[in-house]
């Protein structure tokens, strides 16, 4: 089928279900500029697919998405035009997912971190593999938690829990993600994609006008909750990239990664 987003995103048609796969497995599906741009634009492409009635989103390899690519972060330090485009893209991605008419089932097959976490929880139904976890580490790398965490997590789990997980950048294991409201249910790793597709097929078989109008009505709560918060948080995230604490944390992480890579080659 037509897919202008390859190779960063794969799109497979399974009857009335479209399976969208983040496809940077060598980078744990971390979002570079090309993948981020594809994620923003794919929703309108799918909405124009007259044969589609439901969507499954998942990741290739062993991760759902490990969030932002740290090398891409370094590019954003000096290229403020690219950074502005990225921040605008984060705004568009959240809005595109909230406004997308078809039901979306997230099959969280591994780490869902940062943007990956919020890509998952902005879906309509979230199935999470037993081995997977969710985390928004923005604060831990010196950035404002803007592109989903601060705007949406209080609506899903309550304010006190959202503050704990966002301010500490703690990992949320699969069973805890279900308990606090970030996922619907835990599924054995081997069964995850099949269960997600079966659920999407069930949604696709429902009367489409009723499904889509009900989703739109429910997402009005989300739109009201994020109004104002999203703009403030994204503005602060833009500024966060200039702070020395953020840049020092990223440099230290990249240095440790390089040392581990060198040691593994020795």
């Amino acid at each position: 089928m037509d897919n202008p987003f390859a190779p960063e995103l794969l799109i497979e048609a399974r009857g009335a279900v479209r399976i969208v796969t983040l496809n940077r497995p060598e980078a744990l599906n971390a979002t570079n500029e090309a993948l981020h741009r594809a994620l923003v634009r794919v929703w309108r492409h799918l909405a124009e697919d007259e044969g589609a009635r439901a969507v499954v989103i998942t990741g290739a390899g062993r991760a759902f998405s490990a969030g932002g690519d740290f090398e891409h972060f370094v590019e954003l330090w000096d290229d403020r035009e690219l950074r502005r485009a990225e921040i605008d893209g984060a705004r568009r991605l959240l809005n595109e997912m909230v406004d997308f008419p078809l039901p979306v089932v997230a099959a969280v097959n591994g780490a869902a971190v940062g943007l990956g976490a919020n890509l998952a929880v902005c879906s309509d139904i979230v199935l999470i593999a037993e081995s997977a976890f969710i985390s928004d580490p923005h604060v831990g790398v010196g950035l404002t938690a803007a592109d989903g965490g601060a705007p949406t997590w209080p609506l899903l789990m309550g304010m006190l829990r959202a503050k704990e997980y966002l301010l500490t950048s703690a990992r949320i294991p699969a069973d805890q993600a279900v308990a606090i409201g970030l996922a619907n249910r835990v599924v054995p790793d081997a069964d995850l994609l099949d269960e997600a597709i079966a659920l999407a097929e069930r949604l696709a078989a429902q009367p489409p006008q009723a499904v889509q109008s009900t989703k739109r009505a429910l997402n009005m709560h989300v739109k009201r909750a994020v109004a104002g918060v999203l703009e403030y948080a994204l503005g602060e995230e833009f500024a966060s990239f200039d702070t020395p604490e953020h840049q020092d944390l990223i440099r230290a992480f990249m240095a440790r990664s390089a040392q581990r890579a060198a040691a593994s080659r020795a």
Side-chain angles (χ1 to χ4, degrees):
M1 63 176 297
D2 178 37
N3 178 14
F5 309 106
E8 285 78 17
L9 288 179
L10 305 179
I11 304 175
E12 177 188 351
R14 188 82 63 93
V17 174
R18 301 294 176 263
I19 304 167
V20 177
T21 304
L22 282 68
N23 190 41
R24 296 188 71 221
E26 73 289 348
L28 300 180
N29 301 317
T31 51
N32 59 5
E33 182 183 0
L35 179 55
H36 196 270
R37 185 169 57 247
L39 285 168
V40 171
R41 297 176 178 176
V42 71
W43 304 105
R44 293 197 185 189
H45 176 79
L46 293 169
E48 293 171 358
D49 183 344
E50 295 182 356
R53 290 292 178 268
V55 174
V56 171
I57 186 164
T58 194
R62 58 192 180 92
F64 182 76
S65 172
D69 187 315
F70 281 4
E71 292 183 1
H72 184 49
F73 283 176
V74 175
E75 295 176 338
L76 300 179
W77 293 350
D78 295 323
D79 192 336
R80 295 175 71 86
E81 183 176 341
L82 178 60
R83 191 196 310 176
R84 175 59 63 195
E86 198 91 343
I87 294 293
D88 289 344
R91 177 189 299 106
R92 285 182 57 199
L93 176 57
L94 180 59
N95 288 328
E96 291 287 346
M97 290 194 73
V98 171
D99 289 335
F100 182 62
L102 306 180
V104 179
V105 178
V108 181
N109 56 301
V113 178
L115 184 143
N118 295 308
L119 186 66
V121 303
C122 286
S123 301
D124 300 304
I125 300 176
V126 181
L127 305 187
I128 184 168
E130 289 176 330
S131 65
F133 68 89
I134 292 174
S135 174
D136 189 332
H138 276 79
V139 169
V141 296
L143 294 174
T144 305
D147 56 355
T152 61
W153 282 25
L155 180 66
L156 298 168
M157 68 171 78
M159 182 61 73
L160 292 179
R161 282 173 168 164
K163 286 179 178 178
E164 177 181 357
Y165 287 114
L166 292 173
L167 296 177
T168 64
S169 301
R171 289 186 178 189
I172 306 170
D175 57 349
Q176 182 67 4
V178 172
I180 65 177
L182 289 186
N184 292 79
R185 63 177 181 268
V186 180
V187 178
D189 290 35
D191 300 333
L192 178 70
L193 187 57
D194 287 342
E195 286 210 23
I197 293 170
L199 178 54
E201 288 173 340
R202 181 179 175 188
L203 293 168
Q206 296 284 84
Q209 188 276 339
V211 168
Q212 293 174 29
S213 60
T214 300
K215 171 178 172 171
R216 189 173 300 113
L218 290 166
N219 277 358
M220 286 179 182
H221 296 283
V222 179
K223 296 183 82 165
R224 288 170 182 163
V226 305
V229 179
L230 181 62
E231 296 305 317
Y232 167 78
L234 287 172
E236 291 297 318
E237 184 174 13
F238 183 91
S240 297
F241 282 97
D242 292 323
T243 62
E245 57 264 31
H246 161 67
Q247 296 185 10
D248 289 348
L249 285 163
I250 295 301
R251 288 191 185 101
F253 181 90
M254 293 177 71
R256 290 194 299 271
S257 296
Q259 289 171 357
R260 286 195 295 267
S264 68
R265 290 193 298 268

